[in-house]
Amino acid sequence: MTSPRPLDTHLYHHPGLSPREVEVLLAWIKADTKQQVTRALYISLGTVNTHLARIREKYETAGRSAPTKAALVARALQDGMITLDDL
């Protein structure tokens, strides 16, 4: 059996997320609720929602729609922000 190949992330158009957007995205991926994100990052629910909306807009602009949490997980995996072991 061969080892899995690393994902060729250069094949994807990166959305240009800011470091804070990446932090919020990863917290959201690992959380069960947005309220958990608010507590973990000491930000309001409105701020979480604003970050997630901007993240989705950036992915849409990059031609990689991510309208659901599952799609955001897929994009984070594709972009090398997380691995399956992180989930």
Side-chain angles (χ1 to χ4, degrees):
M1 188 164 129
T2 61
S3 299
R5 286 186 12 210
L7 200 59
D8 287 330
T9 57
H10 71 278
L11 298 176
Y12 299 102
H13 296 288
H14 289 276
L17 301 182
S18 72
R20 185 61 166 173
E21 288 169 337
V22 170
E23 183 179 22
V24 171
L25 174 59
L26 296 179
W28 171 227
I29 287 170
K30 294 176 183 179
D32 291 325
T33 67
K34 290 179 183 175
Q35 287 72 24
Q36 289 175 329
V37 177
T38 68
R39 289 190 297 273
L41 299 181
Y42 302 100
I43 57 178
S44 72
L45 181 60
T47 301
V48 171
N49 288 328
T50 296
H51 279 298
L52 292 174
R54 288 183 181 154
I55 291 164
R56 286 185 168 105
E57 286 174 16
K58 287 182 176 185
Y59 272 112
E60 185 67 37
T61 300
R64 299 170 60 209
S65 180
T68 65
K69 186 174 185 178
L72 287 172
V73 170
R75 301 299 172 252
L77 285 164
Q78 290 167 342
D79 291 344
M81 288 183 244
I82 59 170
T83 66
L84 290 176
D85 291 333
D86 296 325
L87 301 176

